[in-house]
Amino acid sequence: MTAATIFTPNAMPELVDTAADAGLGNDNLYPEHDSIDAADNSADDDSSTLEPTQTAAFRKLQKKLRRQVSWAIRDFNMIEDGDVVMVCVSGGKDSYTLLDILLLLKRIAPIHFDIVAVNLDQKQPGYPEDILPAYLNEQGIAHYILEKDTYSIVKSVVPEGKTYCSACSRLRRGSLYGFAKQIGATKIALGHHRDDMLATFFLNLFHGGALKSMPPKLLSDDKQNLLIRPLAYVEEKDIIEYAKLKEFPIIPCNLCGSQTNLQRAIINDMLREWDDAHPQRLASIFKAIQNVAPSQLADRELFDFETLSLDRDNEERLFEGDNIQAGQTQSLADIGLPTAPESQTFNPKFASKPPAEKPTDSRSTAQKIPTINPVI
């Protein structure tokens, strides 16, 4: 059995509010949270006396993330029976949340897959190397800590004043890809969320001259590794709240000192402003990158514009209007065009088909909807 048949929610995550939220079967498979649905709607919770992870608000948020992650896994067949999923953990809120939700899903999924956490210690100055091992050991999570001084390499190749992120990311990916193959991991899970994917889209649009983003599932260029992004449908603000409630030991991402004035930071600020002013805009943009119409763009590799040709029939359709004025008739005739084309006020043959009549029900009274003429 594969994840494609396991994760089965059929509605958009934000619209689903049923007990079978995760699409992984029934919450009864998760005994510790049998009362989750009732607790979510309880108005009697006194959050002031509870731990953050014991409140109804936390359970509701966790339920939402579990549902969205399972929906993404189902849609893109990210995890299958027998997979070994290598979760890349940086110590940031995103990777902590990813690891936590995947471990939760592993406990209730009707298939077997293994999870191993992997962190790459890149030897940045001031990096608190004891935090992640302590957390992973405390949680009983199988893990590896890889040590490699990529920081010095990046410093030596990146000009002074430039950001290190791109070079650092490439070196990190190369090390993690190779290690995944070495240990036999079948999938590499990354903590990029919906807002990361949108930011990458706009970075490429504004600065890269390309319409591309981060796909939820990707085969590496050398075809040696499959990358998955199970947080693809999750909003960053929900991750921020979840990490706060879980009290993850966050490791700052600005240790290298190159995080100021990044274009990505500017894009992120723009997205946050949009989200505040127009709450549905980001959801609409994300839907757009899932609904691409190649024939409506201009990529000649993606769509064959060159061989487009007419395929007209012999049916003549006259202009429907009051009159046609033809000017410079001699020039029209020289071109071979008609000098007095006919017109018609209405041709029922080309009228839109009226909707099929519904059977009348004597028990109900037809409701008329008033027609409002638009202002022109």
Side-chain angles (χ1 to χ4, degrees):
M1 186 182 296
T2 67
T5 60
I6 291 159
F7 301 92
T8 56
N10 294 316
M12 287 295 288
E14 60 270 20
L15 300 179
V16 178
D17 192 22
T18 64
D21 57 8
L24 290 161
N26 194 298
D27 269 343
N28 290 332
L29 294 174
Y30 194 32
E32 296 89 339
H33 292 270
D34 281 346
S35 59
I36 185 171
D37 292 329
D40 284 344
N41 300 316
S42 172
D44 298 325
D45 264 356
D46 183 4
S47 58
S48 62
T49 62
L50 297 175
E51 293 293 326
T53 56
Q54 296 176 331
T55 62
F58 171 78
R59 290 194 294 269
K60 185 176 181 180
L61 177 59
Q62 187 182 64
K63 176 181 175 181
K64 178 183 179 181
L65 298 185
R66 188 172 77 242
R67 185 170 61 232
Q68 291 175 328
V69 169
S70 65
W71 202 69
I73 291 172
R74 189 279 316 262
D75 281 358
F76 296 94
N77 192 23
M78 292 184 182
I79 300 176
E80 301 173 88
D81 191 29
D83 268 339
V84 177
V85 182
M86 187 179 99
V87 181
C88 298
V89 182
S90 64
K93 63 182 181 358
D94 305 332
S95 58
Y96 273 128
T97 300
L98 172 63
L99 179 62
D100 194 71
I101 297 297
L102 286 181
L103 288 169
L104 177 59
L105 291 179
K106 171 179 165 58
R107 296 173 62 180
I108 62 177
I111 62 166
H112 174 76
F113 61 94
D114 291 309
I115 291 176
V116 57
V118 175
N119 168 255
L120 179 61
D121 178 357
Q122 298 178 265
K123 299 304 177 185
Q124 294 142 314
Y127 180 77
E129 58 186 29
D130 59 316
I131 290 180
L132 258 176
Y135 172 80
L136 295 171
N137 283 320
E138 180 184 349
Q139 300 297 318
I141 301 170
H143 66 276
Y144 296 98
I145 305 295
L146 312 180
E147 299 184 22
K148 183 175 182 178
D149 187 3
T150 61
Y151 176 78
S152 297
I153 300 173
V154 171
K155 286 279 287 182
S156 66
V157 298
V158 176
E160 190 68 30
K162 299 293 183 179
T163 60
Y164 305 143
C165 295
S166 179
C168 180
S169 177
R170 286 196 299 272
L171 287 172
R172 182 171 64 250
R173 279 200 305 269
S175 298
L176 292 172
Y177 287 8
F179 187 69
K181 185 177 179 182
Q182 178 182 343
I183 64 174
T186 55
K187 303 286 172 58
I188 300 176
L190 304 176
H192 300 123
H193 47 71
R194 188 202 70 174
D195 295 10
D196 284 331
M197 297 167 73
L198 291 178
T200 301
F201 172 80
F202 283 106
L203 279 171
N204 284 308
L205 179 66
F206 295 160
H207 305 288
L211 284 177
K212 65 179 183 179
S213 180
M214 298 173 173
K217 187 177 182 180
L218 176 70
L219 181 64
S220 61
D221 291 340
D222 59 6
K223 297 180 171 50
Q224 301 296 303
N225 288 288
L226 270 172
L227 280 67
I228 59 175
R229 295 182 170 98
L231 299 180
Y233 295 156
V234 179
E235 300 174 59
E236 183 178 30
K237 59 187 177 184
D238 287 336
I239 294 175
I240 292 172
E241 181 63 20
Y242 190 76
K244 178 182 176 182
L245 292 172
K246 289 285 290 189
E247 299 179 340
F248 293 134
I250 304 297
I251 298 174
C253 63
N254 61 348
L255 296 173
C256 57
S258 65
Q259 301 298 307
T260 58
N261 300 319
L262 291 177
Q263 291 296 341
R264 181 173 288 274
I266 296 172
I267 296 292
N268 285 333
D269 289 341
M270 178 190 76
L271 295 179
R272 280 190 286 270
E273 289 177 8
W274 283 356
D275 194 37
D276 291 339
H278 310 281
Q280 295 303 314
R281 177 174 290 182
L282 299 189
S284 179
I285 297 171
F286 187 75
K287 183 179 180 181
I289 66 177
Q290 297 176 283
N291 186 26
V292 179
S295 64
Q296 308 304 303
L297 298 173
D299 190 332
R300 293 176 295 163
E301 298 295 328
L302 198 60
F303 187 81
D304 185 6
F305 293 97
E306 294 183 14
T307 61
L308 288 178
S309 60
L310 294 174
D311 186 20
R312 286 179 174 168
D313 54 33
N314 294 323
E315 193 72 53
E316 185 179 16
R317 181 170 183 176
L318 301 181
F319 168 70
E320 293 181 10
D322 298 325
N323 186 38
I324 300 175
Q325 296 185 34
Q328 298 295 319
T329 55
Q330 185 58 50
S331 298
L332 292 172
D334 292 343
I335 299 172
L337 300 179
T339 57
E342 299 179 30
S343 66
Q344 60 187 4
T345 55
F346 176 69
N347 186 344
K349 180 177 181 179
F350 297 105
S352 300
K353 292 183 180 179
E357 293 186 5
K358 296 182 179 179
T360 57
D361 188 345
S362 59
R363 295 171 298 177
S364 61
T365 304
Q367 299 293 320
K368 292 185 178 180
I369 301 176
T371 300
I372 301 174
N373 293 325
V375 178
I376 299 178

